[in-house]
Amino acid sequence: MADGPVQIVLNPQSFREARRTPQGGGAGKDFYKGHNDEFVAHQSSLLDALAGILQRRSERERVNVTVQMRPDALAKSHRPFRSLFTPRRASHVGTGNYGELIFALSPVALAEVMGQVQRAETEVMWRTNARGVSVYSPSPARSESSAVEHIREWSPSDARGYSLDDAVAWLSQDTSGKLVVDLLDLPNQGEMREASAREVLRLAAVARSRPDLVRLDSASPTTRVLVEASPQPELRLKPPAGRILRSENLIRESIRLFETSEAVKRVRLQDIIEPNDGTVTSSSEDAQLPVPSLGSVDRAVVGVIDGGVAGPFANSSHYVVGRAGLVAAEHRGLDQVNHGTRIASLVALGSALNPGLLPPSEDCRVYDLDLFPGRAYRDLYYASLDDFLDEVRASVDRAKSETGARVFNLSYNLRRAPGGSPYSLAAEGLDQIAVDLDVVFVISAGNLSAIEEREEWPPRTEDALAMLARVQVDDGMRPPAESITNVTVASVNPPGMLLGIEGAPTRYSRRGTMVPSAQKPDFAAVGGGTPSSGRETSGLRAVDSFGQPGDVQGTSFAAPLVSRYVATLDATIASDVSRELLIALAAHSAAVPTALDDRRLRSISSSFVGRGVLPSVEETLDGTPHRISIVLSDTILPGRCVEFPFTWPPSLVTPEGACRGNVRLTLATQPAIANVHGWERVRVNLDGAIKQANANGTFNSKAEATHQFFSGFTYANERSLSTELGKWFPLKSYGRSIQRGIGESADWRLDVNYLTRAGEAIPTRGIAFAAVLTIEDPDGTAPVFDEMRASLTSIGVSLSDLRTAIRVGVTT
């Protein structure tokens, strides 16, 4: 037994406190302060835009307008909800890009908005406040008008991002592609809401008459209920598989039909499932499969979503414990089955095939979800991506029910359609399935092609930066790797390569790009390096469907290494735990490889390896006497926050009361997602803080955010906060190394609080989260574990070793 195992708080509900809502800050900000002449011109421009829309749409029952906020006015406090687009006048029915708000309102209400803009004063008054101080006091109309960059009518065709010719070419080359019609939310107002509901029902009927071409995406709960309740056609003749009738005229006419509807946000092209990618070098030697250990039947289960598992070990219950059995034997493709078998062999036999690289204790059993047929037979199984996601949901649910599997490996990526969203439909679907079924998908980041590959990562940092500057191809991740609630894995070099540096990103591994509210990838693992000659191996071996071992190379083969870890972590903990706890603990334990652990690479390393490479599960859960790690897993409820008090270890406190040591915090949350709001789809932000008491009894934060792409900003607008600085991210980390001691008090607190988008409320069920806090003595001598455990117990904190905890988490 370890001397300092990870501890979990068994009574987290004891630390819920009433949330202190910040008081209003007085008058709003005027973005034209001191520039009244410029404001007059801006005001005139807004009025002209509104008048033009009103003139064109005066006879319509509903008008959709786009209000684009200024880049420096994206924060919720500047949104035009108090004066211009009040809930009485307008309904916020969707969001496009950052700060691109879509409102539905009547022509009468639009005229009222014009009146408010016109009332905005051109000379702002100075008023004397209660303390007798003269303050600049713009009216709400002036403040909100100044924060708006421009106003225009919302047009789905403008948001399309592709031409009609692009659509025809895309939908003709692969019959599994579809037009995806994104609906706006229903307006709040009575008559307009009823008319919009009727329009949604009409669109649903049109979509159902063209099921092989059109999918209606009801991203909001209100429209989803309507679509699901709309009448089904009495009879529809399904075209023969592989012969979907979609003429050029039908494609063009369908796009125009939906884009003229006031209930439609955008018409997208659906991404297409790609064949698996990954390089394999076969060997002629026979596979030496290990004899199953006595404890193998108790090992964790990983669901492998792929082309099927075959070969010598496929029929042994020691290795494969169940099958979806979807694809008929005659419809299996050799490439797909080999791909799935190799991944399964890494999950089940990884330590025997790669001794010294993978721990035997993390070998898992496999549930074979054979959901990918041979390419020639795909249309027999899936008419579209929707059909595939439906099958994933059903098969995952069945695998979990039969075996308890909660971790599912998906080493496939999609080909992004023209005008594709940075957040794909596949990512949306997997996020929803993961939350609904309480599972984790581990997804490969995707591979660059042979002609796109980067140069081998050089030893010197300056050379690495120069190499990246020369990259001319789009090396961003492939869908659905941007999935917000799941885990994405990139690839790093194994040890022992002649040219490839251990832990450096492989030449083929795709890197993370800016996606809404997420930093991807999450982790990296060995995926096989690029041999420098025919005599060198890739450093990672797997077994194919014929029982032959071979070198493998690709992010497809890095993902199962993380799947093994997460599944074993889940199985090692005695009680049921949240998926957020598993992700938080993994992220807390990961470390950036030495090859990227350079201050000059800090701003880009996370885009290649995320939080880094995972240790063994044993290293994650065990500890040392000079360190303590505490897990707090709970739910943030409306109007509540979490304040978890603790005393700094006495051995790390100076006689003057200053505290020294290293402190780290990782926070994982289950995000509240509304896809109708595009880049702003995450609607509630949870933040953590590690605070020390001051002499006056207040607490100040003492740790810095370490989940940021960049740090050191003295000022950042909302867009930077949402990308580089990690606001709205569901996975955050904080930390500080305190060498000389800070403060004058040993009283500290872990805080978790929330922030909602403008006009948004936290769900009544709350937001599930898991926080992992570690305090340690960098010198490795202080009895931190014993001291902190004793002090926490003395103030009523119920703790248990995470491995053996009887109860984890609480009901709300």
Side-chain angles (χ1 to χ4, degrees):
M1 177 62 67
D3 294 322
V6 175
Q7 302 291 292
I8 186 162
V9 177
L10 297 180
N11 57 335
Q13 74 278 12
S14 301
F15 308 103
R16 296 174 179 172
E17 301 290 342
R19 185 167 176 260
R20 291 175 289 276
T21 305
Q23 297 298 313
K29 180 175 180 178
D30 177 13
F31 290 87
Y32 286 88
K33 182 179 179 181
H35 301 277
N36 288 330
D37 290 345
E38 293 181 20
F39 176 77
V40 170
H42 173 67
Q43 182 184 43
S44 177
S45 175
L46 294 182
L47 290 171
D48 287 346
L50 289 167
I53 298 170
L54 188 59
Q55 183 178 15
R56 293 190 302 273
R57 300 296 180 184
S58 60
E59 303 300 321
R60 304 296 289 268
E61 192 169 14
R62 167 179 173 174
V63 182
N64 294 329
V65 299
T66 304
V67 177
Q68 177 63 60
M69 308 304 295
R70 291 166 52 112
D72 54 349
L74 296 175
K76 63 180 290 184
S77 58
H78 305 310
R79 304 276 167 127
F81 293 117
R82 285 195 306 154
S83 175
L84 302 186
F85 295 88
T86 62
R88 183 186 65 80
R89 293 193 188 102
S91 298
H92 183 200
V93 293
T95 308
N97 209 319
Y98 287 116
E100 189 180 40
L101 313 177
I102 307 170
F103 292 99
L105 65 173
S106 68
V108 172
L110 188 61
E112 292 179 6
V113 173
M114 285 184 63
Q116 287 298 106
V117 174
Q118 202 157 21
R119 288 189 191 95
E121 68 273 24
T122 56
E123 296 284 344
V124 177
M125 299 288 292
W126 288 75
R127 304 184 187 279
T128 303
N129 66 15
R131 293 177 294 175
V133 178
S134 182
V135 294
Y136 188 76
S137 186
S139 69
R142 165 86 181 217
S143 176
E144 291 184 10
S145 298
S146 74
V148 173
E149 185 170 90
H150 60 75
I151 298 175
R152 61 179 174 83
E153 189 173 0
W154 176 258
S155 170
S157 60
D158 292 343
R160 191 197 299 153
Y162 59 88
S163 68
L164 293 176
D165 288 341
D166 290 335
V168 170
W170 181 258
L171 297 172
S172 299
Q173 67 174 297
D174 194 313
T175 56
S176 68
K178 278 190 177 183
L179 295 173
V180 180
V181 181
D182 293 336
L183 296 176
L184 294 166
D185 206 349
L186 289 183
N188 297 326
Q189 291 83 355
E191 291 184 5
M192 189 184 300
R193 184 181 181 88
E194 292 174 6
S196 298
R198 291 193 296 271
E199 174 65 2
V200 169
L201 290 173
R202 184 185 74 85
L203 296 177
V206 174
R208 285 205 166 105
S209 71
R210 308 174 186 189
D212 300 309
L213 177 62
V214 178
R215 171 203 167 183
L216 214 58
D217 187 27
S218 45
S220 77
T222 53
T223 56
R224 188 179 306 122
V225 169
L226 286 171
V227 171
E228 292 174 353
S230 60
Q232 297 284 344
E234 293 182 6
L235 178 65
R236 178 175 66 84
L237 295 177
K238 185 175 181 180
R243 295 182 56 198
I244 295 177
L245 304 177
R246 43 171 61 166
S247 67
E248 178 177 341
N249 287 339
L250 180 63
I251 293 171
R252 292 175 181 268
E253 186 266 337
S254 296
I255 293 173
R256 292 192 186 99
L257 184 152
F258 287 103
E259 285 186 344
T260 55
S261 171
E262 292 163 347
V264 171
K265 178 184 176 186
R266 181 187 179 195
V267 179
R268 299 193 252 175
L269 299 177
Q270 194 174 61
D271 298 333
I272 293 174
I273 300 172
E274 283 274 74
N276 57 278
D277 51 4
T279 305
V280 178
T281 304
S282 297
S283 169
S284 59
E285 63 183 281
D286 293 330
Q288 299 298 314
L289 299 181
V291 176
S293 65
L294 293 177
S296 63
V297 293
D298 298 323
R299 290 183 175 175
V301 178
V302 172
V304 175
I305 304 173
D306 217 286
V309 179
F313 70 95
N315 294 319
S316 169
S317 60
H318 289 286
Y319 301 118
V320 180
V321 296
R323 285 188 172 84
L326 177 72
V327 179
E330 63 270 22
H331 296 152
R332 290 188 167 196
L334 180 59
D335 288 344
Q336 285 74 25
V337 174
N338 275 333
H339 189 257
T341 303
R342 290 183 178 108
I343 286 171
S345 73
L346 286 169
V347 170
L349 306 172
S351 65
L353 295 166
N354 300 276
L357 181 65
L358 303 180
S361 60
E362 293 176 22
D363 286 343
C364 299
R365 295 172 294 161
V366 170
Y367 193 102
D368 177 14
L369 288 88
D370 55 336
L371 305 188
F372 289 98
R375 185 174 179 84
Y377 302 103
R378 188 184 58 189
D379 292 341
L380 292 176
Y381 292 85
Y382 310 118
S384 68
L385 179 62
D386 303 327
D387 293 339
F388 171 70
L389 291 172
D390 288 344
E391 187 58 50
V392 169
R393 176 182 288 271
S395 297
V396 166
D397 193 19
R398 186 164 59 252
K400 183 183 178 186
S401 298
E402 292 177 4
T403 67
R406 297 181 68 202
V407 179
F408 294 85
N409 192 95
L410 179 60
S411 290
Y412 270 75
N413 299 105
L414 306 183
R415 182 152 39 98
R416 196 183 297 277
S421 166
Y423 187 63
S424 65
L425 290 165
E428 289 181 16
L430 292 176
D431 280 343
Q432 193 62 55
I433 295 169
V435 171
D436 290 347
L437 301 184
D438 190 31
V439 298
V440 179
F441 292 100
V442 179
I443 306 166
S444 59
N447 301 336
L448 296 168
S449 67
I451 61 173
E452 294 174 324
E453 285 187 356
R454 293 179 292 270
E455 303 166 35
E456 197 65 66
W457 198 274
R460 299 172 61 222
T461 295
E462 50 268 38
D463 293 337
L465 293 171
M467 179 268 290
L468 294 175
R470 292 193 295 270
V471 172
Q472 299 295 316
V473 300
D474 174 14
D475 61 351
M477 292 185 309
R478 305 282 289 276
E482 74 277 16
S483 170
I484 292 176
T485 67
N486 293 299
V487 168
T488 302
V489 183
S491 175
V492 294
N493 285 324
M497 300 294 293
L498 182 62
L499 297 180
I501 298 172
E502 179 180 353
T506 56
R507 299 180 60 172
Y508 55 80
S509 185
R510 290 183 173 272
R511 65 186 297 187
T513 52
M514 298 298 182
V515 295
S517 306
Q519 174 182 320
K520 296 292 176 174
D522 297 280
F523 305 109
V526 170
T530 302
S532 59
S533 69
R535 294 186 298 274
E536 188 176 24
T537 69
S538 73
L540 185 67
R541 292 175 72 73
V543 172
D544 66 15
S545 59
F546 299 101
Q548 296 296 320
D551 292 348
V552 292
Q553 182 187 42
T555 59
S556 284
F557 308 114
L561 275 56
V562 173
S563 296
R564 289 163 44 103
Y565 170 94
V566 179
T568 302
L569 180 63
D570 185 34
T572 305
I573 299 171
S575 301
D576 294 336
V577 296
S578 70
R579 52 188 307 284
E580 287 72 35
L581 188 152
L582 297 175
I583 293 172
L585 201 55
H588 195 75
S589 306
V592 173
T594 303
L596 298 178
D597 191 16
D598 185 293
R599 180 180 55 82
R600 293 167 292 177
L601 293 175
R602 198 166 297 157
S603 63
I604 62 170
S605 62
S606 59
S607 68
F608 284 100
V609 298
R611 268 72 186 173
V613 176
L614 292 165
S616 67
V617 169
E618 183 177 359
E619 291 171 309
T620 295
L621 295 177
D622 289 349
T624 63
H626 67 272
R627 178 178 70 235
I628 189 168
S629 292
I630 303 164
V631 175
L632 186 70
S633 180
D634 197 14
T635 299
I636 289 278
L637 296 174
R640 310 288 282 180
C641 64
V642 170
E643 295 179 355
F644 179 76
F646 60 91
T647 301
W648 203 261
S651 55
L652 297 181
V653 179
T654 68
E656 296 75 25
C659 301
R660 68 176 186 87
N662 294 338
V663 59
R664 294 187 296 119
L665 170 66
T666 300
L667 177 67
T669 65
Q670 184 183 106
I673 298 175
N675 291 316
V676 74
H677 290 295
W679 283 73
E680 298 183 4
R681 59 179 24 93
V682 176
R683 308 305 288 168
V684 182
N685 178 58
L686 261 63
D687 262 321
I690 307 169
K691 297 182 176 181
Q692 184 182 26
N694 298 318
N696 60 6
T698 61
F699 284 79
N700 286 344
S701 181
K702 297 298 182 180
E704 300 175 349
T706 55
H707 53 264
Q708 301 172 346
F709 275 102
F710 304 99
S711 59
F713 280 89
T714 56
Y715 170 78
N717 63 27
E718 185 70 13
R719 179 159 186 154
S720 295
L721 289 171
S722 300
T723 52
E724 290 94 340
L725 301 187
K727 187 177 181 181
W728 310 103
F729 283 15
L731 185 58
K732 296 184 172 76
S733 55
Y734 312 82
R736 183 168 181 176
S737 178
I738 310 168
Q739 300 295 329
R740 299 182 180 178
I742 57 171
E744 300 177 354
S745 173
D747 293 331
W748 289 67
R749 203 171 72 194
L750 162 61
D751 285 6
V752 181
N753 210 334
Y754 70 85
L755 172 72
T756 60
R757 300 274 189 184
E760 195 78 35
I762 185 172
T764 55
R765 68 179 183 279
I767 301 291
F769 76 90
V772 186
L773 174 70
T774 293
I775 298 172
E776 64 180 330
D777 175 16
D779 297 333
T781 58
V784 172
F785 182 86
D786 289 340
E787 290 179 341
M788 276 207 67
R789 200 181 194 288
S791 68
L792 288 170
T793 302
S794 70
I795 63 171
V797 180
S798 179
L799 295 172
S800 174
D801 182 343
L802 183 57
R803 292 180 189 263
T804 58
I806 298 174
R807 182 174 61 92
V808 177
V810 295
T811 59
T812 58

